[in-house]
Amino acid sequence: MRTLRIHHTVRTVLRAGSVPAVLLAAAALAAGPAGAAPGPDFQYVGQDDRVHGLVAPRGCVEAEGGGLRAVTNATRGTATLYRDPGCAGPVVEVLRPGAVTQVRPYFASIRFPVTR
């Protein structure tokens, strides 16, 4: 069972009744328990309709499941998405650090900076 910590600001909003408590509770549970390990640095939804995450990616990485749709770049560097495996072929998109976007039509590999 997860322990739910509620920040004092959230308690104030709940008392004021301006945000439904169910929505706040769902958002807190989705975020995970306090002190949990951080999530992946790079995340995408693949053509296999699964969410794929990479932790501390470097160099050229294959997009397991074939990258499609939503992409989140939480790395400190630029992520360059390529149409073909091996970071070859046309560049589909270049994502700055912190970018969250939709990518169409698909990508097969991602190049990340090697140094940090």
Side-chain angles (χ1 to χ4, degrees):
M1 180 176 218
R2 288 185 171 168
T3 303
L4 181 62
R5 287 187 182 173
I6 300 178
H7 191 271
H8 72 282
T9 304
V10 174
R11 278 190 245 133
T12 303
V13 170
L14 285 174
R15 277 194 294 261
S18 61
V19 177
V22 174
L23 292 177
L24 288 173
L29 287 174
D41 298 313
F42 187 86
Q43 191 170 352
Y44 63 95
V45 177
Q47 293 175 5
D48 57 2
D49 288 327
R50 292 181 44 214
V51 176
H52 299 270
L54 304 172
V55 177
R58 292 181 179 190
C60 183
V61 178
E62 299 301 313
E64 186 180 318
L68 180 69
R69 294 189 271 178
V71 179
T72 301
N73 181 17
T75 68
R76 292 188 215 160
T78 300
T80 306
L81 311 179
Y82 290 88
R83 178 72 42 90
D84 300 326
C87 295
V91 171
V92 175
E93 186 99 26
V94 177
L95 302 176
R96 293 179 148 184
V100 177
T101 190
Q102 296 286 319
V103 174
R104 293 277 189 211
Y106 66 91
F107 59 97
S109 54
I110 312 115
R111 179 168 303 283
F112 298 96
V114 177
T115 58
R116 292 207 176 219

